[in-house]
């Protein structure tokens, strides 16, 4: 049943919508560059201290420059390179593919950790020195460069094996882990057969099973989830709904919800069996506590802002002639720029909007929202003001992949301008650096640092995995992790 604007306005009068926060990360407002208080607007966002507001006990101390020029970490922490494009090999003999992106971890046999690693490679295979190899039986479109690899790290980290999970897909950006132990890999493209050298339509979600190689044969797109520039996906384990983000502009992209058909039960391989038009794909229509329609999430200039959400059906989910986001007229749905990473926790979905510029009503350098399916509300948790000088260390901008930490709060990967970090944000609003990318892929005069991607903890919480997208490095970070309060 839709939550009407009138009902939401009434509820707001009782709950204090716009002030009340939901979920464990509801007070993450004081991240560097974030709003320091609910009464502060985005234009006046201040940069918090390098270690937030919690004193010396917060975090793990300052980052120590890496003599190898790869990863700066706090004292006592260390990293290990798990895979590196051009150096490590797949079990089939080829190089590890490049452009590492979204990643998930799974429990393997004999204490091993399995990771599924996206490779965000767009366009024809000839454009890339190290595309995902076309392994027989695992190929969707032989013209496409991207896909996923599965990485097995032994219990003590002394042995690594990597193989192809899916090939012949395009621009595999983020994705999402399912409650039944598989990975949903998302194509961030709208290329159709005949475009950009492709022989099949792209812009779909595919399921990859890290445990069962036979299950990955003859890959099939899950067309019920729509064809658009997919970014990430999460599964509501209680209701069976899937939430998906779209990284697109002109116009800005959308958050989507897929509602399964009546009687559908999730499980390994079940999504592949769906009809192309199964269930209902929907886009959000938001309104504030006064019942006013909200056209773009960038309109929220205060943390704690709460919007009610209705869901509008997508007319043509396969975008046969018009991109999905362009099928809606102004006033019909709510958009957002650069919708990126997602993570399911605390009974809802954490959702990232990396930044907003001139194409959006209000500019910012990052938002983290929390969607509560029970209340049908979106609550703004983190708002980063525009970083005036990304070349200087300290302030954070451009959040992308996120994960909920077993030690409290969130861990966020930066995909902003200038210096790139992994940083933590505690449940009471303090922040701290975890890592800095020291690998300069530019020049001494004009340094350039690739984004972090695929941030995720091992199943036992002892290791934080993350990728440096270019040239393509998977890292395992270990050290004296402790609860951040």
């Amino acid at each position: 049943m839709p939550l009407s604007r009138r009902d939401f306005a009434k509820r707001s009068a009782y709950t204090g919508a716009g002030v009340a926060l939901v979920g464990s990360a509801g007070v993450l407002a004081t991240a560097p560059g974030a709003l320091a208080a609910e009464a502060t607007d985005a234009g006046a966002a201040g940069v918090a201290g390098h270690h937030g507001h919690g004193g010396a006990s917060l975090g793990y101390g300052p980052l120590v420059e890496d003599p190898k020029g790869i990863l700066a970490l706090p004292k006592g922490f260390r990293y290990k390179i798990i895979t590196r494009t051009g150096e490590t090999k797949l079990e089939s003999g080829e190089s590890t593919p490049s452009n590492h992106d979204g990643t998930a971890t799974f429990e393997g046999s004999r204490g091993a950790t399995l990771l599924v690693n996206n490779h965000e490679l767009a366009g024809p295979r000839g454009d890339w020195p190290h595309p995902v190899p076309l392994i027989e039986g695992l190929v969707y479109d032989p013209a496409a460069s991207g896909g996923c690899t599965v990485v097995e790290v032994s219990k003590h980290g002394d042995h690594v094996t990597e193989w192809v999970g899916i090939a012949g897909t395009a621009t595999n950006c983020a994705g999402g882990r399912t409650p039944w132990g598989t990975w949903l890999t998302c194509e961030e493209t709208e290329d159709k057969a005949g475009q950009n050298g492709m022989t099949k339509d792209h812009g779909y979600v595919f399921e990859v099973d890290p445990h069962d190689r036979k299950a990955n044969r003859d890959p099939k797109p899950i067309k019920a989830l729509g064809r658009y520039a997919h970014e990430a996906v999460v599964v509501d384990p209680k209701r069976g709904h899937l939430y998906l983000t779209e990284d697109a502009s002109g116009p800005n992209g959308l958050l989507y919800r897929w509602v399964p058909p009546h009687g559908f039960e999730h499980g390994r391989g079940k999504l592949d069996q769906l009809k192309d038009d199964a269930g209902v794909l929907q886009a959000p229509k938001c309104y504030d506590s006064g019942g006013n329609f909200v056209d773009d999430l960038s309109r929220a200039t205060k943390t704690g802002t709460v919007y009610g959400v209705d869901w509008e059906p997508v007319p043509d989910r396969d975008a046969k002639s018009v991109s999905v986001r362009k099928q809606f007229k102004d006033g019909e749905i709510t958009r957002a720029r650069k919708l990126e990473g997602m993570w399911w926790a605390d009974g809802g979905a954490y959702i990232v909007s990396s930044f907003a510029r001139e194409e959006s009503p209000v500019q910012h350098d990052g938002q983290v929202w929390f969607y509560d399916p029970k209340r049908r509300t979106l609550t703004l948790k983190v708002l980063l003001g525009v970083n005036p000088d990304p070349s200087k260390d300290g302030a954070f901008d451009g959040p992308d992949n996120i994960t909920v930490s077993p030690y409290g709060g969130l861990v966020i990967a930066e995909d902003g301008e200038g210096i790139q970090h992994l940083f933590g944000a505690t449940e009471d609003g303090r922040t701290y650096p975890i890592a800095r990318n020291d690998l300069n892929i530019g020049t001494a005069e004009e340094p350039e640092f690739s984004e972090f991607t695929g941030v995720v903890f091992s199943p036992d919480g002892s290791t934080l995995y993350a990728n440096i997208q270019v040239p393509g490095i998977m890292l395992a970070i270990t050290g004296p992790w402790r609860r951040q309060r």
Side-chain angles (χ1 to χ4, degrees), residues 299-324:
R299 294 285 187 188
T301 59
K302 299 177 181 179
T303 54
T305 296
V306 179
Y307 292 147
V309 182
D310 264 346
W311 294 94
E312 303 295 329
V314 169
D316 173 21
R317 74 182 79 184
D318 204 46
K320 293 179 177 62
S321 59
V322 179
S323 297
V324 172

Side-chain angles (χ1 to χ4, degrees), residues 15 47 99 142 171 188 210 232 320 355 359 373 387:
T15 64
V47 178
N99 292 60
T171 322
E188 189 191 335
K320 293 179 177 62
F355 62 79
E359 79 290 324
N387 187 352

Side-chain angles (χ1 to χ4, degrees), residues 288-306:
D288 63 20
S289 58
N292 303 301
F293 168 69
V294 179
D295 62 339
D296 195 283
L297 293 182
S298 69
R299 294 285 187 188
T301 59
K302 299 177 181 179
T303 54
T305 296
V306 179

Side-chain angles (χ1 to χ4, degrees), residues 150-182:
V150 181
V151 180
E152 183 180 53
V153 182
S154 64
K155 182 177 181 179
H156 301 294
D158 53 352
H159 184 73
V160 175
T161 307
E162 184 178 17
W163 62 90
V164 173
I166 188 173
T169 51
T171 322
N172 297 69
C173 196
R177 191 187 192 280
T178 69
W180 51 92
T182 63

Side-chain angles (χ1 to χ4, degrees), residues 104 106 176-184 207-208 233-235 242 266-268 271:
F106 305 83
R177 191 187 192 280
T178 69
W180 51 92
T182 63
W183 171 250
L184 298 177
E207 187 168 20
V208 177
V233 56
V234 295
V235 180
L242 273 67
H266 283 291
R268 275 186 163 85
L271 291 171

Side-chain angles (χ1 to χ4, degrees), residues 102-108 112-118 173-186 205-211 231-237 241-243 266-268 271 341-345 402-403 455-460:
T103 308
T105 58
F106 305 83
E107 291 184 5
T113 296
L114 295 173
L115 301 100
V116 183
N117 186 202
N118 278 0
C173 196
R177 191 187 192 280
T178 69
W180 51 92
T182 63
W183 171 250
L184 298 177
T185 182
C186 296
V205 177
F206 297 78
E207 187 168 20
V208 177
D209 193 327
H211 301 279
E231 179 70 30
V233 56
V234 295
V235 180
D236 179 342
H241 299 165
L242 273 67
Y243 296 89
H266 283 291
R268 275 186 163 85
L271 291 171
M342 306 177 76
W343 195 269
W344 185 271
I402 60 171
T403 188
V455 59
V456 61
F457 277 91
S458 59
D460 66 1

Side-chain angles (χ1 to χ4, degrees), residues 138-447:
L138 300 177
V139 180
Y140 169 66
D141 181 352
S145 307
C148 298
T149 53
V150 181
V151 180
E152 183 180 53
V153 182
S154 64
K155 182 177 181 179
H156 301 294
D158 53 352
H159 184 73
V160 175
T161 307
E162 184 178 17
W163 62 90
V164 173
I166 188 173
T169 51
T171 322
N172 297 69
C173 196
R177 191 187 192 280
T178 69
W180 51 92
T182 63
W183 171 250
L184 298 177
T185 182
C186 296
E187 293 187 304
E188 189 191 335
T189 180
E190 296 181 67
D191 285 347
K192 301 182 76 172
Q195 295 179 328
N196 228 353
M198 300 297 100
T199 65
K200 292 185 177 181
D201 291 351
H202 291 269
Y204 294 116
V205 177
F206 297 78
E207 187 168 20
V208 177
D209 193 327
H211 301 279
D212 184 356
R213 300 196 193 197
K214 291 183 179 179
N216 297 327
R217 298 188 66 82
D218 301 319
K220 176 186 175 184
I222 307 169
K223 292 189 176 182
L225 302 182
R227 194 183 71 81
Y228 46 90
H230 286 270
E231 179 70 30
V233 56
V234 295
V235 180
D236 179 342
K238 182 178 180 180
R239 299 164 185 83
H241 299 165
L242 273 67
Y243 296 89
L244 309 102
T245 49
E246 178 183 32
D247 183 0
S249 60
N252 284 346
L254 301 172
L255 171 68
Y256 296 94
R257 181 178 75 169
W258 179 76
V259 180
H262 180 72
F264 177 76
E265 293 184 4
H266 283 291
R268 275 186 163 85
K270 294 293 184 66
L271 291 171
D272 286 345
Q273 299 172 17
L274 288 167
K275 294 181 178 180
D276 293 350
D277 62 352
V280 180
L281 187 67
Q282 304 167 316
K285 185 174 185 179
C286 300
Y287 36 89
D288 63 20
S289 58
N292 303 301
F293 168 69
V294 179
D295 62 339
D296 195 283
L297 293 182
S298 69
R299 294 285 187 188
T301 59
K302 299 177 181 179
T303 54
T305 296
V306 179
Y307 292 147
V309 182
D310 264 346
W311 294 94
E312 303 295 329
V314 169
D316 173 21
R317 74 182 79 184
D318 204 46
K320 293 179 177 62
S321 59
V322 179
S323 297
V324 172
R325 71 185 184 283
K326 297 179 181 179
Q327 295 172 23
F328 295 95
K329 299 177 182 178
D330 291 344
E332 291 183 337
I333 42 81
T334 301
R335 303 183 183 275
R337 180 71 172 100
K338 200 78 177 154
L339 287 167
E340 296 271 5
M342 306 177 76
W343 195 269
W344 185 271
D346 305 322
Y350 290 95
I351 305 161
V352 170
S353 170
S354 281
F355 62 79
R357 292 293 184 265
E358 290 78 8
E359 79 290 324
S360 303
V362 181
Q363 296 187 33
H364 62 74
D365 254 345
Q367 296 177 328
V368 179
W369 292 84
F370 181 82
Y371 179 71
D372 184 334
K374 184 177 181 180
R375 299 186 183 186
R376 282 174 287 173
T377 56
L378 275 168
T379 302
L380 183 59
K381 301 298 189 178
V382 178
L383 176 58
L384 306 181
V386 176
N387 187 352
D389 190 353
S391 66
K392 292 183 178 179
D393 201 358
F396 302 144
D397 59 74
D400 194 325
N401 290 175
I402 60 171
T403 188
V404 171
S405 171
Y407 304 97
L410 300 175
V411 176
I412 301 173
E414 274 191 298
D415 178 17
E417 300 178 12
I419 297 172
Q420 307 292 332
H421 301 88
L422 297 174
F423 69 94
T426 66
E427 296 177 3
D428 61 356
R430 298 167 296 164
T431 63
Y432 55 95
I434 294 174
R436 183 184 66 240
N437 178 8
D438 280 356
L439 182 59
N440 181 9
I441 57 175
T443 65
E445 293 75 22
E446 296 184 3

